[in-house]
Amino acid sequence: MAITDIFLRYKKEIETNEKQRDESLKTHYYKGTVNQIFEKVEKIISNDADCTITTISKEHGEIAFEIDKPVACFMVATMVSIKPLETAVDFTISTEKFSLFGVNPALRKRIISFYDRIDKLHM
């Protein structure tokens, strides 16, 4: 394990984007309009008992929400139209919590879980 990997465990924020080294944290693209993808992401978040939506901004393509478990954190889902029928989805997640073992793996797992659910709902 490299020194940078050790420090990465203690980062309290993750943002998905095109330039991520971790393939599972790169921007995901879906066939469909922003509105179609937005509704599916909103449904996934609403149906998650650990999540509470705090802000919905369809005009900005963002849903902000709080997550209670396993680590209390705040997350923003952003949906952007790339082409008429292609939408990019990114997440930003952060927490104020500290763990001796690092919170980054739990935050990473949460993002991957949301991408997996979108993949299943939007085949």
Side-chain angles (χ1 to χ4, degrees):
M1 185 181 285
I3 295 291
T4 54
D5 293 339
I6 293 170
F7 290 120
L8 184 65
R9 291 186 68 79
Y10 295 97
K11 283 188 72 176
K12 294 182 176 185
E13 183 175 350
I14 299 174
E15 186 172 343
T16 64
N17 60 51
E18 265 312 302
K19 296 177 183 165
Q20 274 284 358
R21 288 186 332 190
D22 183 339
E23 285 295 319
S24 59
L25 296 177
K26 285 192 174 191
T27 301
H28 282 49
Y29 297 91
Y30 298 95
K31 289 201 181 300
T33 66
V34 173
N35 284 338
Q36 290 170 332
I37 305 303
F38 191 95
E39 287 174 13
K40 289 180 181 183
V41 172
E42 184 180 359
K43 180 179 179 181
I44 290 167
I45 297 166
S46 296
N47 290 338
D48 190 321
D50 297 333
C51 297
T52 306
I53 294 176
T54 56
T55 308
I56 294 177
S57 174
K58 272 196 170 184
E59 51 281 344
H60 292 110
E62 292 185 341
I63 303 172
F65 55 104
E66 295 173 346
I67 302 173
D68 298 328
K69 298 176 192 168
V71 176
C73 52
F74 182 75
M75 194 165 186
V76 177
T78 306
M79 284 120 311
V80 178
S81 179
I82 303 301
K83 296 178 185 172
L85 285 174
E86 186 175 17
T87 301
V89 177
D90 277 306
F91 291 102
T92 302
I93 188 168
S94 61
T95 185
E96 294 298 317
K97 297 290 181 190
F98 175 79
S99 167
L100 289 174
F101 303 108
V103 294
N104 193 275
L107 299 179
R108 181 182 176 278
K109 211 179 280 187
R110 200 44 134 142
I111 288 175
I112 292 168
S113 155
F114 276 104
Y115 276 140
D116 288 345
R117 287 189 267 172
I118 297 169
D119 291 347
K120 286 179 185 157
L121 196 61
H122 190 78
M123 297 189 128

